Amino acid sequence: FLLQKYCILPAKLINGGVAGLVGVTCVFPIDLAKTRLQNQQGARVYSGMLDCLAKTIKMEGYFGMYRGAAVNLTLVTPEKAIKLAANDVFRQKLSKDGKLPLWGEILAGCGAGTCQVVVTTPMEMLKIQLQDAGRLAAQRTVAASAAGSTPSLVASQAAQPGTNAPPRSSATRITLELLKTRGLRGLYKGAGATLMRDVPFSMIYFPLFANLNAVGRTEDRHSNPQERAPFLQSFVAGCTAGSVAAVAVTPLDVIKTRLQTLQKGEGEDSYRGIIDCAQRILKREGPAAFLKGATCRALVIAPLFGIAQGVYFLGIGEHVLGLLG
C-alpha cells in the first residue's frame, strides 16, 4: 500500500509544490543576501550575510528582502515538483527487485537535476535581476559618498529608512524585454552553468539523503527508505544532505550567478562564458571568491530540502487528492 501511495505522480507534484512554497517563504531573504554577496566584485557594499540583510532593511524596507520572491513562489512549485518527482520516477525505473545500487541513486539524481533546468534557468534569471537591483543602487550610493559628489536621488533619500529603494522593475517587464531583444534564448542565458550546478547537486544530494535516511535500518537499505524513516530522521537527512550538496557546488553557483546578472556595477566584469568567467574570477578575486555565499547557500538549501522531505513524509499530496477524490 505504501509503495502504491508513493507511486502516484500527482501526489508527488503536490508535495514538491507545497514544499517549495513553504521553504522559499521561510528562507528567501538569505537567498537574496547570497545573490548580492556573490555579485560583489569591486566596491565592497556588504561585509557578510547579516550586514547585507541589515542594510537591505535600512535602505529598502522589510519587504526589500523579498525582492524577486514572487518569481520564485510562482515557479518554485513546478521546479521542486519536477525535481523530486523525477528523482522518484528514475529511482523506480532503475530499481531491480526493490533494490537500488549506488550508481542507480547517482544516475537518478543526475536525471532529476537535468529535468528541472527547464524551469530553473528562467526562474533564476528573473530572480537574480530583481534581487541584485538593490545592491547596484547601494553601490552607487557608496561610490558617490566616497567621491564626495552630489548623491543621486537614491542616495539623497538614504536618511529615510525604507524610502530609497531603487526603481522597481517587475519580472513581467524583464521577461518581455528579454524576449523582445534576445528571444527565448534570453530567458535561458546561463543554462549551461545552471546544468553544471544542478546536476552535480542532485547527484550528491539524493544518494546522500537516501543513505542518511536509511541509517539504523539494515533491511533493504536502497529500496525506498523514505517510506519507512521516522519524520525527524527524514527531516535531518534532508537538511544534512542539502547543506553538504549546496556547499559542494557553490563555485558553480557563483559562476552561474555572475553569468546571469545582466546589469553590472561600475568596474565589474562581464563574461563571455563559463570558462572566461571562471578565469576572470580566479585572476581578479582569487580562489576564495568561488566560495562567496557558501554559508548562505547552506542556510537556504538545508531547510528547503528538510521541509521537502517532511512534506513527503506527511503525505500532504495524498491527503489533498483524498479530499478531492
Side-chain angles (χ1 to χ4, degrees):
F1 173 78
L2 283 174
L3 182 59
Q4 183 180 13
K5 180 179 80 168
Y6 279 93
C7 287
I8 303 175
L9 184 60
K12 293 174 184 176
L13 297 177
I14 293 172
N15 285 331
V18 171
L21 290 172
V22 174
V24 166
T25 303
C26 294
V27 301
F28 191 83
I30 304 176
D31 185 67
L32 178 136
K34 182 221 70 162
T35 298
R36 294 186 177 185
L37 289 172
Q38 286 183 338
N39 269 329
Q40 283 194 140
Q41 296 183 45
R44 190 177 174 86
V45 180
Y46 312 112
S47 60
M49 179 184 71
L50 295 179
D51 181 58
C52 177
L53 293 176
K55 287 180 178 177
T56 298
I57 293 174
K58 182 179 180 180
M59 296 185 68
E60 304 171 52
Y62 175 79
F63 290 105
M65 294 191 299
Y66 283 89
R67 295 195 68 178
V71 176
N72 250 37
L73 290 173
T74 301
L75 296 179
V76 75
T77 299
E79 187 220 19
K80 286 292 180 287
I82 289 171
K83 186 187 191 83
L84 296 172
N87 179 69
D88 277 359
V89 170
F90 284 125
R91 287 178 67 89
Q92 290 167 12
K93 296 293 184 183
L94 294 170
S95 295
K96 291 184 178 180
D97 300 324
K99 295 182 179 181
L100 184 65
L102 180 60
W103 65 264
E105 294 180 357
I106 295 174
L107 196 58
C110 178
T114 303
C115 290
Q116 79 170 81
V117 169
V118 176
V119 177
T120 302
T121 303
M123 178 184 76
E124 293 275 313
M125 184 72 183
L126 297 173
K127 182 195 71 172
I128 286 171
Q129 314 317 314
L130 296 170
Q131 286 182 327
D132 203 44
R135 181 191 68 87
L136 294 173
Q139 187 185 67
R140 288 192 293 269
T141 302
V142 170
S145 300
S149 60
T150 303
S152 63
L153 176 62
V154 170
S156 67
Q157 294 172 338
Q160 305 176 34
T163 63
N164 69 323
R168 292 186 178 273
S169 182
S170 68
T172 302
R173 183 177 177 182
I174 295 173
T175 301
L176 292 175
E177 186 175 343
L178 284 172
L179 290 174
K180 182 179 179 180
T181 58
R182 309 187 186 194
L184 190 60
R185 291 179 60 186
L187 286 173
Y188 281 87
K189 182 180 180 181
T194 305
L195 198 65
M196 284 180 59
R197 180 198 68 173
D198 289 348
V199 170
F201 176 93
S202 296
M203 291 173 69
I204 296 169
Y205 171 80
F206 286 111
L208 181 57
F209 166 76
N211 284 276
L212 288 175
N213 212 27
V215 169
R217 288 173 289 113
T218 57
E219 76 286 355
D220 207 8
R221 286 176 59 88
H222 299 293
S223 59
N224 197 346
Q226 188 175 12
E227 293 178 7
R228 300 183 303 276
F231 172 78
L232 183 59
Q233 183 173 353
S234 183
F235 180 81
V236 172
C239 289
T240 304
S243 60
V244 171
V247 172
V249 302
T250 294
L252 300 171
D253 187 59
V254 172
I255 293 172
K256 182 201 74 69
T257 300
R258 295 282 182 92
L259 287 174
Q260 289 188 316
T261 302
L262 298 177
Q263 293 188 7
K264 303 291 185 179
E266 186 177 352
E268 293 182 350
D269 277 336
S270 294
Y271 309 103
R272 295 190 299 271
I274 295 172
I275 296 176
D276 179 59
C277 180
Q279 290 176 339
R280 284 173 180 260
I281 291 174
L282 185 62
K283 182 178 180 180
R284 290 195 57 177
E285 304 171 60
F290 289 106
L291 291 177
K292 283 184 175 180
T295 301
C296 293
R297 269 186 64 76
L299 291 175
V300 168
I301 300 298
L304 268 180
F305 281 88
I307 291 169
Q309 299 303 339
V311 168
Y312 260 58
F313 178 87
L314 295 174
I316 291 177
E318 288 78 10
H319 289 304
V320 171
L321 290 177
L323 292 174
L324 294 176

